[in-house]
């Protein structure tokens, strides 16, 4: 799914990924993508984020989302949609309740604290 040479989705976008570390240990990840203008999604922003997963730490999630937002702004974004992991044709959404249940395949499981839309 994330192999750029194998997934045709990555021919349509520019993308970037980040890892967060805390005390020397991996603490989270996020990806961001912006569709090339000729492939603008119908009714959606060209700028998107996804693959957000982090420990239960507001500072880690804030740093990850800030990195994605900054990168997307640098690429001309004024509106971001997500989470799409990596595209709307794959996993999308986020877990807001049911944290006590065992995770399942393709079940988004992120802490629901990313909720601040921004504008340029």
């Amino acid at each position: 799914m994330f192999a750029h040479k194998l997934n045709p989705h990555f021919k349509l976008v520019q993308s970037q990924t980040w890892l967060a570390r805390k005390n020397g240990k991996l603490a989270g990840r996020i990806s961001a993508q912006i569709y090339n203008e000729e492939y603008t999604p119908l009714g959606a922003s060209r700028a998107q984020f996804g693959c957000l997963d982090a420990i239960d730490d507001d500072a880690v999630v804030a740093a990850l989302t800030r990195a994605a937002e900054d990168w997307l702004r640098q690429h001309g974004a004024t509106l971001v949609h997500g989470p799409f992991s990596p595209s709307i044709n794959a996993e999308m959404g986020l877990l807001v309740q049911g944290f006590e249940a065992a995770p399942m395949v393709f079940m988004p499981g992120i802490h629901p604290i990313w909720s601040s839309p921004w504008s340029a």
Side-chain angles (χ1 to χ4, degrees):
M1 181 182 294
F2 294 98
H4 287 232
K5 290 183 179 180
L6 300 176
N7 186 340
H9 166 74
F10 290 104
K11 293 178 182 174
L12 311 177
V13 300
Q14 297 175 55
S15 64
Q16 180 68 46
T17 57
W18 295 266
L19 293 173
R21 292 186 180 273
K22 185 171 184 175
N23 301 324
K25 294 183 180 180
L26 286 176
R29 67 175 186 210
I30 195 168
S31 67
Q33 63 188 9
I34 190 152
Y35 277 85
N36 299 328
E37 284 193 44
E38 62 270 24
Y39 300 111
T40 300
L42 184 62
S45 173
R46 290 180 50 229
Q48 301 173 351
F49 81 98
C51 304
L52 177 58
D53 186 26
I55 62 172
D56 189 8
D57 186 312
D58 292 355
V60 170
V61 175
L64 286 166
T65 55
R66 188 170 38 255
E69 289 174 352
D70 289 348
W71 185 85
L72 289 166
R73 275 192 196 104
Q74 291 169 6
H75 286 81
T78 58
L79 174 68
V80 175
H81 285 156
F84 302 120
S85 302
S87 76
I88 196 165
N89 297 318
E91 187 177 327
M92 58 183 243
L94 61 121
L95 184 65
V96 294
Q97 64 184 37
F99 291 97
E100 68 284 349
M104 306 282 287
V105 175
F106 294 118
M107 180 177 138
I110 62 173
H111 193 67
I113 62 172
W114 190 88
S115 62
S116 57
W118 53 270
S119 60

